[in-house]
């Protein structure tokens, strides 16, 4: 099974960078790392994904270690609206359409 | 805007009832998924489908079945609802066509309570 490990919760001050870590030691060479977030009472929403290089989009940056066994999602200037559960996942080695979602990290952005 | 819709946001059923949860996507996606979400357990995959009339079991298929007669619609069926099926149910869809990012698009969820 494609499993990930994330801290249960994290706090971040509004306006500061939020750095959310994830371990994905079972990732295989052709699998991408994906990050999603879930705001209360909504379905998860895609944030960003990457294979081995660092990626940036309008929402966040993704840093993947050279051995690809871990990654960090960075929200450069967290706002109160970024309070959510963040899920790190990667596509299953046997079925490229399946994701395995763990329990995620609850990010609390505080004023 | 891409859209995944689910037939109900909230549903209350009695033990033993047959329950249908409907999901529709308007993105012409090949793949559709049903998850349940419980506190402390994250999202767990129940069933998925990669084409019309095709289905595969996920991690927790017991007590559930699915139907995909049309590409845009994926139904989750609880043949005889039980109290341990009280949960939030999330539908998602995705495409594996070349040029797509491969991410899943989720519906808003259906909170099912079985009494």
């Amino acid at each position: 099974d494609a499993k990930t490990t994330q801290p249960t919760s994290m706090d971040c001050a509004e306006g500061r960078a939020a750095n959310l870590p994830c371990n994905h030691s079972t990732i295989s060479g052709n699998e991408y790392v994906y990050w999603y977030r879930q705001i209360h009472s909504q379905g998860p929403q895609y944030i960003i994904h990457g294979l081995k290089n660092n990626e940036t989009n309008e929402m966040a940056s993704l840093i993947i270690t050279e051995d690809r066994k871990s990654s960090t999602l960075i929200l450069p200037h967290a706002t109160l609206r970024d309070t959510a559960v963040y899920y790190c996942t990667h596509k299953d080695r046997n079925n490229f359409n399946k994701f395995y979602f763990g329990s995620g990290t609850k990010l609390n952005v505080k004023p | 805007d891409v859209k995944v819709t689910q037939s109900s946001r909230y549903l209350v059923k009695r033990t033993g009832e047959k329950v249908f949860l409907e999901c529709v996507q308007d993105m012409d996606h090949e793949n559709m998924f049903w998850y349940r979400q419980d506190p402390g357990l994250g999202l767990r995959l129940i069933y998925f489908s990669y084409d019309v009339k095709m289905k595969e079991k996920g991690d927790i298929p017991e007590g559930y079945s699915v139907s995909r007669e049309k590409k845009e619609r994926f139904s989750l069926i609880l043949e005889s609802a039980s109290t341990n099926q009280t949960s939030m149910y999330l539908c998602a869809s995705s495409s594996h066509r070349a040029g797509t990012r491969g991410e899943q698009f989720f519906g808003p969820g259906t909170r099912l309570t079985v009494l």
Side-chain angles (χ1 to χ4, degrees), chain A residues 12 17 48 72 100 107 109:
Chain A
C12 178
I48 197 167
T72 301
Y100 286 92
L107 176 67
V109 180

Side-chain angles (χ1 to χ4, degrees), chain B:
Chain B
D1 229 10
V2 296
K3 220 152 202 187
V4 179
T5 56
Q6 295 183 229
S7 49
S8 307
R9 286 303 305 270
Y10 299 94
L11 208 53
V12 180
K13 295 292 182 181
R14 297 210 173 273
T15 301
E17 280 193 79
K18 191 168 185 175
V19 181
F20 292 87
L21 301 182
E22 305 284 343
C23 175
V24 177
Q25 50 97 2
D26 65 359
M27 297 165 281
D28 198 36
H29 283 170
E30 311 86 63
N31 313 309
M32 296 188 75
F33 307 81
W34 275 106
Y35 296 87
R36 64 176 283 176
Q37 184 172 32
D38 302 288
L41 297 177
L43 279 74
R44 293 181 292 166
L45 183 64
I46 304 171
Y47 267 97
F48 67 101
S49 167
Y50 52 88
D51 200 354
V52 176
K53 296 193 187 295
M54 306 301 290
K55 61 185 179 187
E56 285 200 28
K57 294 180 180 179
D59 300 314
I60 51 165
E62 297 77 20
Y64 302 94
S65 62
V66 290
S67 171
R68 190 152 180 218
E69 296 296 317
K70 292 185 177 181
K71 191 175 186 181
E72 67 270 19
R73 188 179 297 269
F74 193 35
S75 302
L76 180 69
I77 303 152
L78 288 65
E79 293 289 341
S80 178
S82 64
T83 54
N84 63 12
Q85 292 178 309
T86 291
S87 187
M88 170 69 85
Y89 290 88
L90 289 159
C91 175
S93 71
S94 73
S95 174
H96 54 262
R97 287 192 287 265
T100 62
R101 295 188 301 212
E103 79 270 36
Q104 291 186 358
F105 294 85
F106 284 83
T110 295
R111 186 164 294 282
L112 173 67
T113 302
V114 182
L115 301 175

